[in-house]
Amino acid sequence: MSVAFSLVLFGVGVALVIWATERLLEGLVGLAWLLRVSAFAVAAILSGFEPENVAVGLAAARRGAEEVALGTVFGGAIFLVCVALGLGAVLYPLRVRLPRGFLVLMAACPLTVGVGLLGGTTSRLAGAALLAAFALAVAYLVLASRHHRFLESEEVREAEEKRRSYPKAVGLTVLGLAVIAVGGELVTVGAEGIVSALGLSALLVGMVLTPAAIEVEEVIRQAVPAREGRPEVSAGNLVGTLLYFLWFNLGLISLLVPVRVNPQVIAFDWPFLVAVTWLATLFFVRGRVGRVEGAALLTAYALYAALRAFYL
């Protein structure tokens, strides 16, 4: 497979999963409204939902591309904390106080996800444990946020305003899921071709290039609410998305398609994720993620990418 063809497959796959995610979200919100599920519950559950991340992770796991599969978990979370939060804070500094429980979840999430790495292969038992932890965490977030609009997003509000019907809501949901699945396969095949044709490290492509391409829109999700004077929405979306990336995505991969864990992921990527997430948590404890803090997170990501590209 040529480099050009691999890049085209990769780019088309990324575009498809991003487009299909918007259709899926619109369909799910429409169904929830028609079924009389509360708007807040929908927002809380869907704010961090990243079906494109899940689709690429599962597709990669099925094809044996474990670096890409684990990259949707660890690389995606590192990009979220360092680039999405960091660049968002550089553009629009955050002043926000999160409930203590939210901060505990944020700090515990990357640490406990190491359970899924034990034994050199992601185990189904660990996957079930991570999914159970995710379900409990979401339930807690919904209950703890009853009096705070922490977990909402512009996409959810837009979807709530549109005219709804059962056929349209079901059709958009099915269409979104189907196109996301196709896009996930294209991203994986393209990533494999890039690794083969250019001789790049599989971990570099899996942990840095693929997550950055898929999750670039997270920068917008972080920056826009802060620009509109809703920093708590940016912070809440960050916590929700982190839970989805680490507990839901890795739990699903481990349960359905266990993959081999490269020792470098345990020795480097996981500790780096814990370190930057704890740093970001410390910023939130202080009640401020400003331009200096954002620049520190961006510098950390530049260091991470450089180490992955030139030394590891």
Side-chain angles (χ1 to χ4, degrees), residues 4 38 41 56 101 107 128 149 157 236 262 271 276 281:
S38 72
V56 172
R149 298 292 293 187
R157 289 196 296 271
N262 190 303
V276 295
T281 304

Side-chain angles (χ1 to χ4, degrees), residues 97-280:
R97 290 286 182 183
L98 291 179
R100 188 184 302 273
F102 282 48
L103 297 172
V104 171
L105 274 179
M106 186 174 176
C109 190
L111 186 62
T112 57
V113 79
V115 173
L117 306 180
L118 299 178
T121 302
T122 58
S123 71
R124 287 189 166 88
L125 180 61
L130 290 173
L131 289 174
F134 172 78
L136 291 173
V138 168
Y140 165 73
L141 290 178
V142 172
L143 292 174
S145 304
R146 281 182 172 179
H147 303 295
H148 304 278
R149 298 292 293 187
F150 283 116
L151 300 175
E152 61 182 2
S153 67
E154 187 65 28
E155 293 92 336
V156 169
R157 289 196 296 271
E158 290 178 357
E160 287 178 337
E161 294 171 357
K162 295 183 179 180
R163 186 177 181 181
R164 307 163 186 86
S165 67
Y166 278 111
K168 182 178 180 180
V170 172
L172 286 171
T173 301
V174 173
L175 175 65
L177 289 172
V179 176
I180 285 172
V182 173
E185 292 287 347
L186 291 179
V187 169
T188 303
V189 173
E192 290 176 333
I194 292 170
V195 170
S196 175
L198 296 180
L200 297 177
S201 162
L203 280 172
L204 172 63
V205 174
M207 291 289 173
V208 178
L209 300 183
T210 302
I214 296 174
E215 303 304 335
V216 66
E217 63 179 11
E218 283 298 329
V219 177
I220 300 173
R221 292 187 182 183
Q222 284 298 122
V224 170
R227 183 193 64 189
E228 296 176 351
R230 301 297 304 275
E232 75 281 5
V233 175
S234 296
N237 283 338
L238 177 77
V239 176
T241 305
L242 197 63
L243 292 173
Y244 269 101
F245 277 7
L246 299 181
W247 284 353
F248 182 77
N249 199 9
L250 184 59
L252 205 60
I253 290 173
S254 301
L255 188 65
L256 300 181
V257 197
V259 297
R260 183 182 64 85
V261 179
N262 190 303
Q264 286 191 21
V265 175
I266 300 175
F268 176 65
D269 299 281
W270 177 39
F272 193 94
L273 171 62
V274 172
V276 295
T277 305
W278 284 7
L279 179 62

Side-chain angles (χ1 to χ4, degrees), residues 45-75:
I45 294 171
L46 296 183
S47 65
F49 185 37
E50 296 286 342
E52 69 271 29
N53 188 280
V54 175
V56 172
L58 288 176
R62 285 196 304 269
R63 295 182 61 86
E66 59 269 6
E67 291 86 359
V68 176
L70 293 177
T72 63
V73 178
F74 295 93

